[in-house]
Amino acid sequence: MRRSAAILFAAVLALVGSVLVAPAALAIGVQNTYFSHGPSRFMDTRAGFPTVDGLGPKGAITGPGQVNLTIAGRDGLPVAGPQIGSVALNVTIVSPSGPGWATVWEAGAPRPTASNLNYVAGQTVANNVIATVGAGGAVCIFTLATTHLIVDVSGAVPPNSGYRALLPARLVETRTGE
């Protein structure tokens, strides 16, 4: 039993070692990989809560409204273009003024009709989101209700990796009139 557990553990380590690489690997041309990063706080709209580099909007996002969040080139991440395609984000809604939803998508593209997070008034809710980095090395975040937003970056994928984040899309709707 111990031998099979050791073999399984070694196989998992080999797989993880082949997929996860340091961000510096991008600088030397490693392709087809996901690289972990941080997590690093790139946005926190609450007063007194800093981001990794002091950038980002302060004060609740007035809903309905959207904000562009620059990802590329911050906290050691590569610049946009040939080095960064999609990012893994943890997006948190804090103390929304009412019920609503939030959608994350690539900057420069039209807003999708589906959401990444749904919330009710006063609720704090988080979700992992993988989004394509768009125009200006940024992602867009839309929120229906006025709320605070926290965004942490935990990884990225080069654009030539063969992986492309999908836009949020509603595949089934059982409510009438929606």
Side-chain angles (χ1 to χ4, degrees), residues 29 69 96 105 167:
L69 175 62
W105 75 101
L167 290 173

Side-chain angles (χ1 to χ4, degrees), residues 10-148:
V12 168
L13 280 178
L15 176 63
V16 169
S18 69
V19 174
L20 298 178
V21 297
L26 289 177
I28 57 173
V30 174
Q31 299 177 3
N32 301 320
T33 56
Y34 168 88
F35 65 93
S36 62
H37 181 85
S40 298
R41 179 117 331 142
F42 275 47
M43 176 187 282
D44 194 333
T45 62
R46 302 171 299 171
F49 290 89
T51 63
V52 69
D53 54 10
L55 300 177
K58 288 296 178 189
I61 305 302
T62 303
Q66 79 181 45
V67 62
N68 283 3
L69 175 62
T70 300
I71 301 291
R74 292 178 64 190
D75 193 37
L77 284 175
V79 296
Q83 295 183 320
I84 189 167
S86 300
V87 288
L89 308 171
N90 186 47
V91 180
T92 305
I93 300 291
V94 180
S95 301
S97 63
W101 66 88
T103 302
V104 182
W105 75 101
E106 66 182 284
R111 179 168 47 101
T113 58
S115 64
N116 297 100
L117 295 100
N118 298 291
Y119 51 83
V120 297
Q123 182 181 34
T124 296
V125 62
N127 196 18
N128 259 333
V129 175
I130 298 177
T132 299
V133 175
V139 298
C140 291
I141 305 169
F142 169 86
T143 181
L144 183 66
T146 298
T147 188
H148 284 286

